[in-house]
Amino acid sequence: MSCNLTVEIAGVSFKNPIFVASGTFGYGLETQELTDSSSLGAVITKSITRHPREGNPPPRIVETPSGMINSIGLANMGVERYIDTVIPRIDEIGTAVITNIAGFSIDDYLYVMEKLEACKAPICGYEINISCPNVEAGRMEFAVDPELTGRLTESLREVTKKLLIIKLSPNVTGIASIALAAEQAGADAVSAINTVFGMSIDTQSRSPYVQTNVGGLSGPAVRPVGIACVYKISRKVNIPIIGIGGITSANDAVEYILAGASVVQVGTANYKNADTARSMIDELELYLAENGIENLSELTGGVIPNE
Amino acid sequence: MVIERASVTANELIAEGIFQMNVSAPKIAGENPSPGQFINISVIDSWFHPLRRPMSIAGREGESLKIIYKIFGAGTRLLSEFPVGSFIDLLGPLGNTFELTEGATPVLVGGGVGLAPILWFDETLRSNGIDHTTIIGARHSGEHFLEHCPKEGFILTTDDGTVGIKGTVLPTIESICLEMENPKLFACGPEPMLKAVKQFAEKETVLCELSVESYMGCATGICQGCAIEHKSSSISEHSYHERFSLVCLDGPIYNAKDIRFP
């Protein structure tokens, strides 16, 4: 039996539901020696900002049980260099590209998106990193407030007809209400979750392992958090959900899909082996065949909750 | 750069807390790694430790690669438990290499397990008949596994004087370099040692390359985790990759005057 792995999000078709997460696959061109990116459903780029950014002082990462804490500080080449150096080579990635955008004001996000729209970048859409402090709102993160999230989404919606995905933070009191705000403001999909606040301290020096003290926890340690968030969001919104957090195998992906995700992104696992996501595609096909599932969409939200 | 499941051909304690592992890694060895380069090791197949451990290559013979490591934490402890005949997942070769400067005599300095790339470089220079001096420092004799052979330009130092010259590597570096016409230092070791070597090199205007250590996420330039402060004259308000350099891609070997330690 052949299984259909293709998925559609707001009219955009992807060859399979295995994407790679922002920040774990560069701009899509760096891993060519280690994997075949053209097999993937989509590549989400590292966050691009209005200006180039050096990022935070080191140390920036530390391993924790089944995870890692990062505090990179959005180091990236900035939108101009991205347009000059990556966009012309985007065909080499061989699959759909979604550009992740970060900013510190609504104008910042708009600037990046407008530049990409103006150059007719051959990307299929945008993922918006809203876990950034908004300098116009007392550095409150866009992600923690439904109104801010809504306003940002609405502004971006006016600029693009391409796929608009809002990437949600788990560090909020009610992730589903933020997701709903994004949906009502015109988002095509939400992705969940970004990293979870995390801290790890060296008990000898008494210093936190990352320079910014608190960083973002990712990896298998956060998988149950991500799955619960996807489940909660799926009860509240109708737009597709992209599941992220600690996925290392097709089985992990299926957990997210059962919880309500239409597609998933593989993140931290790419660091150990950039071929992890690609190798999950065959595994997923096998799971579907073994379970007599012809269309992946049959699985989405298929969890049988306890009464 | 390739990922390879290499077979472990040796993994044993060679000095106090110091292990040597040999692996048969034809693919990585086939890429002709050079002294200074490293491999990134997955210490366990499960995801309990999701990150690899970067380790300098300490030697190469045909398809066989050698690493020398110390047990620092859970990851290196797991590494010490790989039996001969088992397989280990490696990514490599990675990073840049030590560079000789024409007319300058190499002075190699290794401290603690930082001796790994230095030993391989020493071996390479020796087999190419290049005149040089090597200084290896440790706290006491138990941490050394090599012979003190000053006549052959291979000098050991210990903090307590139980073998070789008593003291840190620094006074020995000073006395050797100050006698030479045009020395070039190549050092790898703990950060305080590297800072002291850098300070000496800058004061005496001695050429100096340092091999630095860093936590790494991916070792391929993707995660941007292994940043080190880079001295650059052209840092603008909005720059990228000028103030911070990535140890995995741009390093681990740096011209000492180009980097700044925290």
Side-chain angles (χ1 to χ4, degrees):
Chain A
M1 190 184 80
S2 76
C3 311
N4 183 6
L5 285 181
T6 57
V7 275
E8 205 174 274
I9 299 176
V12 180
S13 182
F14 297 93
K15 53 183 106 170
N16 64 62
I18 309 294
F19 296 8
V20 283
S22 179
T24 67
F25 215 76
Y27 300 102
L29 296 164
E30 296 91 328
T31 54
Q32 284 163 334
E33 276 180 78
L34 297 174
T35 188
D36 172 18
S37 59
S38 72
S39 309
L40 300 169
V43 168
I44 291 85
T45 69
K46 180 153 190 61
S47 286
I48 313 281
T49 51
R50 180 179 195 149
H51 300 294
R53 286 177 57 86
E54 287 288 351
N56 292 330
R60 292 177 172 181
I61 53 166
V62 64
E63 189 186 72
T64 56
S66 299
M68 63 176 281
I69 294 172
N70 88 76
S71 170
I72 307 300
L74 298 172
N76 81 95
M77 58 172 69
V79 67
E80 262 157 55
R81 201 156 128 204
Y82 178 68
I83 288 172
D84 289 347
T85 64
V86 181
I87 293 292
R89 294 180 58 200
I90 221 152
D91 282 353
E92 294 172 37
I93 299 169
T95 191
V97 174
I98 296 170
T99 301
N100 183 296
I101 304 178
F104 304 93
S105 67
I106 291 181
D107 270 358
D108 278 352
Y109 290 96
L110 285 172
Y111 181 91
V112 176
M113 190 180 272
E114 280 164 356
K115 282 264 175 195
L116 288 162
E117 288 284 315
C119 78
K120 301 204 178 340
I123 55 173
C124 73
Y126 306 94
E127 182 183 68
I128 310 302
N129 176 358
I130 58 170
S131 305
C132 305
N134 179 358
V135 292
E136 289 159 352
R139 301 190 66 77
M140 184 210 278
E141 286 180 17
F142 289 94
V144 303
D145 183 50
E147 205 210 311
L148 271 178
T149 301
R151 254 197 292 153
L152 175 62
T153 308
E154 213 171 78
S155 309
L156 295 169
R157 183 73 286 173
E158 283 173 21
V159 177
T160 187
K161 290 191 170 62
K162 287 187 173 146
L163 208 54
L164 178 61
I165 303 161
I166 305 297
K167 184 170 184 177
L168 305 172
S169 166
N171 308 315
V172 296
T173 44
I175 194 168
S177 56
I178 315 276
L180 185 64
E183 179 181 41
Q184 288 170 345
D188 294 312
V190 288
S191 44
I193 53 175
N194 207 324
T195 56
V196 179
F197 283 148
M199 186 173 189
S200 180
I201 302 169
D202 180 338
T203 53
Q204 291 303 310
S205 69
R206 301 189 183 191
S207 291
Y209 281 106
V210 295
Q211 204 275 340
T212 51
N213 302 319
V214 173
L217 177 66
S218 65
V222 310
R223 193 190 310 137
V225 180
I227 292 169
C229 287
V230 166
Y231 180 68
K232 284 184 191 170
I233 296 164
S234 73
R235 312 263 122 174
K236 204 143 179 179
V237 305
N238 293 310
I239 50 176
I241 304 165
I242 301 173
I244 322 169
I247 296 171
T248 61
S249 67
N251 193 67
D252 300 345
V254 169
E255 264 197 88
Y256 268 96
I257 293 168
L258 289 171
S262 298
V263 304
V264 297
Q265 294 177 16
V266 180
T268 301
N270 292 320
Y271 293 153
K272 194 172 201 170
N273 189 335
D275 199 42
T276 307
R278 192 210 49 80
S279 69
M280 283 167 49
I281 301 165
D282 291 344
E283 252 184 86
L284 182 64
E285 214 161 5
L286 195 66
Y287 170 89
L288 297 180
E290 280 174 358
N291 289 276
I293 299 158
E294 281 178 42
N295 265 302
L296 182 80
S297 55
E298 293 169 38
L299 267 188
T300 295
V303 60
I304 304 165
N306 300 319
E307 304 242 330
Chain B
M1 139 176 83
V2 287
I3 287 182
E4 178 168 26
R5 281 188 83 75
S7 67
V8 176
T9 55
N11 192 13
E12 57 199 19
L13 192 70
I14 52 167
E16 203 177 295
I18 297 173
F19 286 77
Q20 177 180 322
M21 181 188 272
N22 293 354
V23 293
S24 172
K27 285 189 197 161
I28 295 174
E31 297 213 351
N32 288 317
S34 298
Q37 289 195 285
F38 66 100
I39 49 178
N40 211 11
I41 306 173
S42 170
V43 292
I44 188 166
D45 277 341
S46 90
W47 289 93
F48 186 79
H49 290 285
L51 301 183
R52 292 169 181 267
R53 268 57 181 171
M55 300 260 170
S56 287
I57 303 171
R60 178 202 164 185
E61 254 176 72
E63 294 182 344
S64 175
L65 299 178
K66 176 162 85 181
I67 57 163
I68 292 172
Y69 62 95
K70 192 171 182 167
I71 297 180
F72 276 110
T76 35
R77 181 165 303 282
L78 285 166
L79 195 59
S80 73
E81 290 164 4
F82 273 82
V84 169
S86 62
F87 287 87
I88 188 160
D89 184 314
L90 310 176
L91 166 67
L94 300 160
N96 61 356
T97 62
F98 293 118
E99 296 281 342
L100 295 172
T101 299
E102 216 181 306
T105 310
V107 177
L108 281 48
V109 185
V113 281
L115 90 173
I118 295 299
L119 284 189
W120 189 20
F121 196 31
D122 170 80
E123 218 174 88
T124 309
L125 295 179
R126 227 165 264 279
S127 60
N128 288 318
I130 296 168
D131 184 33
H132 69 284
T133 303
T134 298
I135 307 161
I136 306 291
R139 285 174 301 184
H140 57 85
S141 61
E143 293 178 337
H144 276 302
F145 54 92
L146 294 158
E147 299 265 316
H148 178 55
C149 303
K151 280 183 192 155
E152 288 164 38
F154 198 90
I155 299 162
L156 301 187
T157 71
T158 46
D159 294 355
D160 66 357
T162 42
V163 71
I165 300 171
K166 188 177 175 178
T168 69
V169 289
L170 210 68
T172 306
I173 294 172
E174 285 176 4
S175 64
I176 286 170
C177 286
L178 297 178
E179 274 172 26
M180 272 183 195
E181 201 152 306
N182 189 17
K184 180 170 182 179
L185 283 161
F186 296 90
C188 183
E191 200 170 285
M193 182 197 104
L194 295 185
K195 278 182 184 169
V197 172
K198 175 176 155 70
Q199 208 176 9
F200 165 77
E202 279 168 10
K203 189 173 128 231
E204 303 295 336
T205 55
V206 171
L207 295 170
C208 179
E209 287 189 6
L210 303 177
S211 173
V212 305
E213 236 188 351
S214 174
Y215 278 109
M216 280 186 195
C218 65
T220 56
I222 302 284
C223 77
Q224 308 261 331
C226 58
I228 185 167
E229 194 158 357
H230 203 242
K231 275 192 195 166
S232 169
S233 52
S234 62
I235 297 169
S236 54
E237 188 193 350
H238 299 298
S239 64
Y240 168 64
H241 207 168
E242 285 172 33
R243 178 172 171 211
F244 295 119
S245 164
L246 297 180
V247 175
C248 70
L249 285 188
D250 312 320
I253 318 293
Y254 288 94
N255 194 329
K257 64 180 168 50
D258 289 344
I259 51 169
R260 204 192 299 264
F261 288 109

